[in-house]
Amino acid sequence: MIDHSFTLRLSTLLLLSSLLSFPMKGAADPNPKIGRYQTDTKECSYTDSTQDSISCITLQLKGRSPSVVAVRFIGHGRTKNSRRQLTFVTFTTQGKSPLTCSTGTCRLDAESWQSTVSSVAEASFNSNGIATGLPKAWAAKSGECSLKGRVLRCSALHINGEIYKAEAYI
């Protein structure tokens, strides 16, 4: 009796590898709003949980779905090469994201955009990129992020009355 399982597996492997070598023309990106955009800022600052004003150097937008975008303001930490960040998680009922993404990399193409803030989070990292404590996160009582021209602003009101604000010129 001849064992054909090896021949069958080899034939299947060859068929699959040949299919992978042909580009799929006309295939749309399945997630055009999911991915990350990051840029250095010309001017940037945010108000943290202690209500201190922190300067930031990097703006990051992370598309999590067509209607959910995390807006992160990243600045230097208290020690060399450490960093601090404030993140506003936003959602829009219109499903409009300011991002255009392909395979996880995004461009910020929108001239204007507005979205409601659902939560705010704060985190700090040491020079090795390791979190220096647990991140803090709060539900927002109200808030919004907006992009007008090349200025992105976010603000949120915590249920205890604290206000979180951030502004970046890009």
Side-chain angles (χ1 to χ4, degrees), residues 129-146:
I130 299 170
T132 56
L134 294 173
K136 302 172 193 166
W138 308 271
K141 183 176 181 180
S142 63
E144 75 172 24
C145 286
S146 64

Side-chain angles (χ1 to χ4, degrees), residues 15-28:
L15 177 64
L16 288 174
S17 64
S18 67
L19 287 174
L20 292 174
S21 66
F22 292 106
M24 295 178 57
K25 296 190 187 279

Side-chain angles (χ1 to χ4, degrees), residues 101-145:
C101 306
S102 177
T103 62
T105 303
C106 302
R107 293 184 325 271
L108 181 61
D109 286 340
E111 288 295 318
S112 65
W113 168 73
Q114 191 169 351
S115 193
T116 303
V117 174
S118 63
S119 63
V120 180
E122 189 176 52
S124 297
F125 301 88
N126 68 17
S127 60
N128 295 320
I130 299 170
T132 56
L134 294 173
K136 302 172 193 166
W138 308 271
K141 183 176 181 180
S142 63
E144 75 172 24
C145 286

Side-chain angles (χ1 to χ4, degrees), residues 75-86:
H76 293 294
R78 298 180 196 274
T79 60
K80 185 178 180 181
N81 296 325
S82 64
R83 73 170 203 251
R84 298 165 69 174
Q85 63 189 35
L86 185 68

Side-chain angles (χ1 to χ4, degrees), residues 138-161:
W138 308 271
K141 183 176 181 180
S142 63
E144 75 172 24
C145 286
S146 64
L147 173 68
K148 289 187 177 88
R150 300 301 289 169
V151 181
L152 182 64
R153 291 182 176 96
C154 293
S155 65
L157 176 64
H158 186 281
I159 54 174
N160 69 6

